[in-house]
């Protein structure tokens, strides 16, 4: 359930679940498992082993297990063994995935994955209970109320995190730089994700924050730019900071739309897989929302999938400057193939590539200007290795690198996002968000050069 990009060849929708997900490209297929003939014979020895194990469990396991349960476990294991993003969705999970496309769901408001049997926070969603309670990117959740997380599947953990709005959940968290586990109580709520926010920084320089890529994100971006022009007394903007930090991904077409909003033409992204149906490409159309004004894209280790598509497109077309830290490296496409039983198979079917043919898988996007990790060292006394696609067990390799790197650069804590719409002074901005302060300084410099 809930990996972000859910794309039919003709129809798209986002799947964000409470407390779940890395950003990924998802494609919807309908009963496509038998579209290609396979002349390979089944391995009889392995089938005999499977039957033998199945029989031993039925006879000797300490508790009685039904055939249906065992077969479902086998299906789940078969898919989870492929890579971290392929999975079997039962009817309930598939339904939750579709419900999530509205951008409204119940829960805590955190994007998570599994690491070493525990739930690891990719990032809290802006303005959600988890965000307000102080949950941070990189936190490792080891207990949900009195239930240990170790041994639970990610879906089971998500079910616990979901619940009636207004009900509390006590998270026991291990955080790098702290001597003992933290206990943070989060009160569940209906999560309504507003994917785009904007404000005027100062003297004609705009700021747009995209927290997730939803079906309406492109239109929301257009409205945000219109608002910024009005706030700038109707004058054209001198430059824009596009903030994609800790954005775990979203609808593929939204990523294309956001890229298109700043590009005049050219390729945005293409996908490549074994099946011809997975050879797709998306291009920009004429028209730049800010008429060529300087653009700075902020990214970090929490920027994944759709965020990386945008950053990669802007970078390859040299339309703007990508600033921050190396991104997550989620460059694969998952296809949702519905099953007769009401469930679905989520199967990795392709990798996506930037306009210049770079695969982001397990590599991420290297920023044009890298920002240091001062804030984290000041607060925690040391650097923390961030969670990335390359650090996930069983991740797909990058086709450009037979041994994709399994280490990512150290990361700092998520910068706090200011709530006010009004402009702020440079000193105040630097104190509240050092990375944004540096992006604004860069925009000013680019604006002078442009003149």
């Amino acid at each position: 359930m809930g990996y972000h990009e859910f794309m039919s060849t003709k129809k798209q929708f986002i799947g964000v679940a409470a407390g779940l997900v890395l950003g990924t490209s998802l494609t919807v297929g309908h009963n496509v498992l038998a579209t290609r003939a396979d002349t390979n014979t089944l391995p009889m020895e392995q089938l005999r082993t499977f039957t033998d194990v199945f029989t031993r469990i039925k006879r000797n396991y300490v508790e009685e297990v039904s055939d249906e349960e065992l077969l479902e476990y086998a299906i789940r294991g078969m898919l989870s063994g492929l890579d971290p993003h392929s999975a079997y969705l039962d009817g309930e999970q598939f339904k939750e995935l579709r419900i999530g496309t509205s951008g409204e769901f119940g829960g805590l408001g955190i994007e998570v994955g599994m690491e070493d049997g525990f739930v690891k926070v990719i990032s809290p969603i802006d303005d959600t209970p988890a965000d307000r309670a102080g949950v941070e990117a990189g936190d490792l959740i080891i207990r949900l109320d009195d239930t240990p997380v170790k041994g639970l599947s990610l879906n089971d953990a998500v079910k616990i995190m979901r619940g009636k709005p207004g009900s509390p959940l006590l998270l026991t968290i291990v955080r790098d730089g702290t001597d003992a586990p933290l206990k943070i109580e989060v009160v569940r709520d209906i999560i309504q994700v507003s994917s785009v926010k904007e404000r005027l920084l100062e003297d004609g320089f705009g700021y747009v924050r995209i927290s997730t890529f939803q079906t309406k994100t492109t239109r929301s971006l257009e409205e945000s730019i219109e608002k910024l022009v009005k706030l700038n007394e109707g004058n054209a903007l001198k430059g824009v900071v596009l903030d994609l930090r800790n954005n775990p991904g979203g609808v593929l077409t939204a990523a294309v739309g956001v890229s298109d909003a700043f590009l005049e033409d050219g390729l945005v992204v293409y996908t490549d897989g074994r099946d011809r149906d997975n050879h797709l490409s998306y291009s920009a159309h004429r028209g730049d929302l800010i008429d060529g004004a300087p653009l700075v894209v902020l990214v970090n280790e929490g920027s994944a999938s759709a965020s990386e598509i945008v950053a990669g497109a802007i970078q390859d077309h040299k339309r703007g400057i990508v600033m921050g830290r190396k991104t997550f490296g989620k460059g694969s496409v998952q296809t949702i193939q519905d099953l007769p039983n009401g469930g679905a198979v989520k199967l990795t079917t392709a990798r996506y590539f930037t306009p210049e043919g770079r695969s982001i898988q397990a590599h991420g996007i290297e920023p044009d200007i890298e920002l240091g990790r001062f804030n984290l060292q000041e607060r925690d006394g040391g650097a923390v290795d961030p969670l990335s696609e390359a650090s996930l067990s069983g991740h797909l390799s990058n086709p450009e690198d037979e041994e994709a790197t399994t280490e990512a650069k150290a990361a700092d804590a998520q910068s706090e996002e200011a709530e006010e719409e009004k402009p702020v002074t440079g000193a105040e901005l630097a104190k509240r968000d050092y990375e944004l302060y540096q992006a604004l300084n860069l925009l000013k410099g680019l604006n002078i050069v442009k003149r």
Side-chain angles (χ1 to χ4, degrees):
M1 63 181 285
Y3 279 84
H4 274 322
E5 288 161 26
F6 190 107
M7 180 194 73
S8 174
T9 310
K10 305 294 182 184
K11 178 180 179 182
Q12 297 79 24
F13 64 91
I14 185 171
V16 183
L20 185 60
V21 290
L22 304 176
T24 33
S25 302
L26 295 184
T27 307
V28 178
H30 299 282
N31 301 320
V32 299
L33 294 181
T35 57
R36 189 192 301 121
D38 188 352
T39 57
N40 295 331
T41 58
L42 293 173
M44 297 307 298
E45 183 176 346
Q46 283 75 14
L47 287 175
R48 290 191 190 98
T49 301
F50 175 83
T51 303
D52 187 19
V53 172
F54 186 94
T55 302
R56 290 172 187 267
I57 295 173
K58 290 289 293 182
R59 289 178 178 174
N60 302 321
Y61 186 64
V62 64
E63 295 179 355
E64 185 175 351
V65 187
S66 70
D67 294 344
E68 291 79 9
E69 286 178 293
L70 285 178
L71 289 172
E72 182 172 322
Y73 297 156
I75 292 169
R76 290 186 185 279
M78 181 166 55
L79 285 159
S80 65
L82 296 174
D83 64 77
H85 310 297
S86 295
Y88 169 74
L89 309 177
D90 61 26
E92 181 182 350
Q93 293 162 345
F94 191 26
K95 180 180 178 181
E96 288 175 348
L97 176 61
R98 289 179 290 186
I99 290 173
T101 63
S102 64
E104 177 177 316
F105 50 90
L108 308 180
I110 50 177
E111 312 286 350
V112 302
M114 292 298 288
E115 184 175 279
D116 299 326
F118 295 107
V119 174
K120 187 156 189 175
V121 177
I122 303 302
S123 70
I125 300 173
D126 295 343
D127 300 324
T128 61
D131 183 40
R132 292 190 290 268
V135 177
E136 297 182 1
D139 283 349
L140 200 66
I141 301 174
I142 62 173
R143 189 177 290 271
L144 299 165
D145 280 337
D146 296 325
T147 303
V149 171
K150 191 74 171 179
L152 293 179
S153 68
L154 186 58
N155 288 334
D156 289 338
V158 168
K159 286 181 180 178
I160 296 175
M161 286 188 276
R162 287 193 166 204
K164 184 179 179 181
S167 62
L169 180 68
L170 184 64
L171 306 180
T172 303
I173 287 173
V174 172
R175 180 177 296 170
D176 287 285
T178 60
D179 296 329
L182 305 174
K183 292 187 180 295
I184 299 178
E185 184 177 85
V186 184
V187 179
R188 298 179 180 91
D189 199 357
I190 296 297
I191 308 302
Q192 295 181 334
V193 180
S194 177
S195 66
V196 183
K197 294 182 179 179
E198 76 291 321
R199 71 173 186 271
L200 203 61
L201 294 175
E202 60 179 69
D203 190 26
F205 293 99
Y207 169 84
V208 177
R209 160 73 177 164
I210 300 179
S211 57
T212 58
F213 287 87
Q214 301 174 356
T215 53
K216 298 180 180 179
T217 295
T218 302
R219 179 56 192 157
S220 296
L221 172 64
E222 295 170 356
E223 293 172 351
S224 291
I225 297 298
E226 291 172 2
K227 290 178 183 177
L228 288 173
V229 171
K230 288 181 180 178
L231 289 173
N232 198 38
E233 299 180 348
N235 298 315
L237 297 172
K238 298 178 181 179
V240 168
V241 176
L242 179 63
D243 189 354
L244 301 180
R245 291 174 296 177
N246 295 313
N247 181 324
V251 179
L252 178 59
T253 50
V256 173
V258 169
S259 302
D260 189 3
F262 300 106
L263 298 173
E264 287 289 352
D265 53 30
L267 185 64
V268 173
V269 65
Y270 69 92
T271 65
D272 189 14
R274 291 172 60 197
D275 195 300
R276 289 184 180 180
D277 290 342
N278 294 312
H279 296 180
L280 303 171
S281 64
Y282 301 85
S283 298
H285 303 86
R286 184 164 297 279
D288 182 339
L289 284 182
I290 57 175
D291 297 322
L295 176 68
V296 174
V297 182
L298 277 178
V299 297
N300 65 4
E301 64 285 340
S303 306
S305 196
S307 299
E308 295 170 294
I309 288 174
V310 175
I314 296 299
Q315 192 176 61
D316 281 5
H317 283 281
K318 297 179 174 54
R319 172 59 186 88
I321 303 295
V322 177
M323 179 183 249
R325 291 181 302 282
K326 184 178 178 180
T327 61
F328 185 81
K330 178 66 188 68
S332 62
V333 180
Q334 280 68 49
T335 301
I336 301 296
Q337 303 172 354
D338 59 318
L339 299 173
N341 68 353
V345 171
K346 180 171 53 147
L347 190 65
T348 300
T349 54
R351 293 179 176 88
Y352 64 74
F353 296 81
T354 71
E356 291 187 354
R358 293 183 293 157
S359 172
I360 297 167
Q361 176 60 26
H363 278 191
I365 294 291
E366 294 278 0
D368 299 308
I369 299 177
E370 184 173 352
L371 296 178
R373 51 184 184 272
F374 325 103
N375 294 341
L376 183 62
Q377 290 180 329
E378 268 182 27
R379 188 177 65 188
D380 291 340
V384 177
D385 290 334
L387 176 66
S388 70
E389 173 74 11
S391 67
L392 297 180
S393 176
H395 70 271
L396 292 179
S397 64
N398 187 296
E400 300 169 2
D401 186 356
E402 291 183 0
E403 296 181 0
T405 181
T406 57
E407 296 181 357
K409 295 178 181 178
D412 67 1
Q414 178 182 1
S415 300
E416 294 182 1
E417 181 180 346
E419 296 293 333
E420 294 82 355
E421 296 279 342
K422 61 182 181 180
V424 294
T425 65
E428 184 182 359
L429 184 59
K431 182 178 179 181
R432 286 169 16 183
D433 191 333
Y434 173 79
E435 296 167 358
L436 181 53
Y437 173 68
Q438 291 296 344
L440 176 58
N441 285 338
L442 178 59
L443 269 187
K444 291 178 179 178
L446 291 172
N447 187 262
I448 293 174
V449 171
K450 186 185 177 190
R451 291 177 184 175

